Amino acid sequence: MRGAELTSVEEVLDRVRKELAEGRLPVEIFNSPVVFAAEQERLFRRAWLFLAHDSEIPEPGDYVLRNLAGNSVIVVRDEQGTVRCLLNMCRHRGNQVCKAAMGNASHFRCSYHGWTYANDGRLIGVPHIRTVYDGRLRRSDWNLLEVRTESYQGLIFGCLDPGAPDLEEYLGGFQFYLDIYLRPGPGGTEVYAPPNQWVTETDWKICAENFAGDGYHTPVAHQFGFQLGYYASSASTHSQGYAVHFPHRGHGIGLGRTPGMTPFFGYPDEVVQGMAEALSPAQLELFKETRTAVSTVFPNLSLLIQPFSVTPGEPGVRFCTMRLWQPIGVGRMQMLSWCLVPKDAPEAYKAEAYRAYTLAFGHGGMFEQDDFDNWSRVTAMAGNPAAQELSFPYLMGLEREPIADFPGPGVAVTPYMTETNFRNMWQTWLEYLERP
Ligand SMILES: [Fe+2]
């Protein structure tokens, strides 16, 4: 047996390249110090990473603190309405300039020596500047560091790589599927409440993979949800539907269908009407018979729409959750989980959707607990010395031909239960990590 700490990341990546081509993945990529370090450097500093939803900071001065690839950042709407991502660190001696997780501020004033920044990041106040700096300190040289941001349909992303392509190219056509979550009406979406947050001993990749379309686990891991009548699908038909991926971009979506289901069930009429106005005929055609839409925007943002019965046995209420799987250490992550609701929907539906989300996917949610119990055990097992030479099979759908006339972009296969999206996610992960 090899000790994980003695293996270089290049050796690990060599193994991944060889095995992935044959439909296997080395277990040693999970819960690994060398892989964690390489991911931080080569993936998270290069990719577009999710920061916040527009509706979390609607007014000038509104801000939230977030973690961008290990950096504490302030995502703020400045007085002109521009969204900015500022490094939360005073340029004088490095103190955190903003300490509250969310709020509204025209200025950020450092609690150490009092340097004060406008909410657009400009240094505008330096105590005793005339008497102690003798004209040597030019304020404009010491603004808060700003990170590149772009947004799509209310989702604000940041990227630490100035040479990375723009967000539109990064998403590369996945917008067609993102609209299913983000355009349930002409007004788009809003967060119902601040995100649920917790820390868990889980490798982020397990979660990102699961949400790229793991329909296989649902009838097993969440069997009590089925049996108790909270979830309108049956194990016998659960495999039906599609999996779509975007080569070299890593994004993937699973579209689970229930044969004969009432189109758009679980939404009130107002939302169905809103979707008819906001979505294209091709999007509507695909979505009307979709029971579950579960996806990962590479690397670590996921979205899910599914029905969940607040009262067992009833067909269920559609809710949408968005979640960020943020690595904060080896086999350890910070979880942020939001509920998105259609902005124009009736308030009563928004409240009901949030109730369904909370029961299923809030931090104490039934499905959430099922998943994280499994995922943290997988993480722990992957750290066992005996696991370092093992591999997992990724053989489902290995030679499956794509659907030729699929209505949406990307590479689509059927059924919904497959590992095609996952192989693509791992291939993209490998491509990032192999770039020195
Ligand atoms: Fe799950």
Side-chain angles (χ1 to χ4, degrees), residues 164-205:
D166 61 21
L167 180 65
E168 190 180 349
E169 192 186 330
Y170 183 85
L171 294 173
F174 200 57
Q175 294 93 325
F176 177 95
Y177 301 100
L178 287 178
D179 286 354
I180 288 170
Y181 306 100
L182 303 176
R183 306 200 70 209
T189 58
E190 63 187 5
V191 298
Y192 191 81
N196 283 194
Q197 299 196 39
W198 64 98
V199 169
T200 165
E201 304 302 315
T202 305
D203 190 307
W204 69 276
K205 300 189 285 302

Side-chain angles (χ1 to χ4, degrees), residues 41-215:
E41 184 70 30
R42 299 178 188 175
L43 170 57
F44 286 94
R45 285 194 200 162
R46 288 171 176 164
W48 281 96
L49 304 175
F50 180 71
L51 286 170
H53 190 282
D54 237 7
S55 64
E56 292 183 272
I57 48 170
E59 301 298 330
D62 284 349
Y63 71 84
V64 288
L65 293 193
R66 291 286 141 85
N67 175 329
L68 182 73
N71 301 295
S72 168
V73 293
I74 310 167
V75 184
V76 58
R77 191 175 299 275
D78 72 17
E79 298 306 309
Q80 272 65 50
T82 304
V83 172
R84 296 177 186 272
C85 175
L86 307 169
L87 187 68
N88 187 11
M89 181 182 178
C90 181
R91 296 294 304 278
H92 175 239
R93 285 296 180 272
N95 190 22
Q96 206 179 330
V97 289
C98 177
K99 296 172 184 172
M102 59 188 292
N104 183 286
S106 57
H107 302 80
F108 300 107
R109 182 174 183 271
C110 178
S111 60
Y112 194 6
H113 300 89
W115 281 30
T116 302
Y117 302 86
N119 60 15
D120 61 5
R122 280 176 305 123
L123 176 63
I124 55 168
V126 176
H128 305 291
I129 189 166
R130 286 197 200 87
T131 49
V132 297
Y133 276 109
D134 304 324
R136 285 172 175 266
L137 184 98
R138 207 166 46 171
R139 281 185 303 209
S140 60
D141 289 343
W142 303 95
N143 296 331
L144 291 179
L145 222 63
E146 185 165 356
V147 178
R148 193 178 165 194
T149 63
E150 286 182 35
S151 66
Y152 181 73
Q153 291 293 336
L155 304 192
I156 305 160
F157 292 79
C159 182
L160 292 164
D161 178 2
D166 61 21
L167 180 65
E168 190 180 349
E169 192 186 330
Y170 183 85
L171 294 173
F174 200 57
Q175 294 93 325
F176 177 95
Y177 301 100
L178 287 178
D179 286 354
I180 288 170
Y181 306 100
L182 303 176
R183 306 200 70 209
T189 58
E190 63 187 5
V191 298
Y192 191 81
N196 283 194
Q197 299 196 39
W198 64 98
V199 169
T200 165
E201 304 302 315
T202 305
D203 190 307
W204 69 276
K205 300 189 285 302
I206 299 165
C207 320
E209 178 195 89
N210 179 283
F211 269 69
D214 191 325

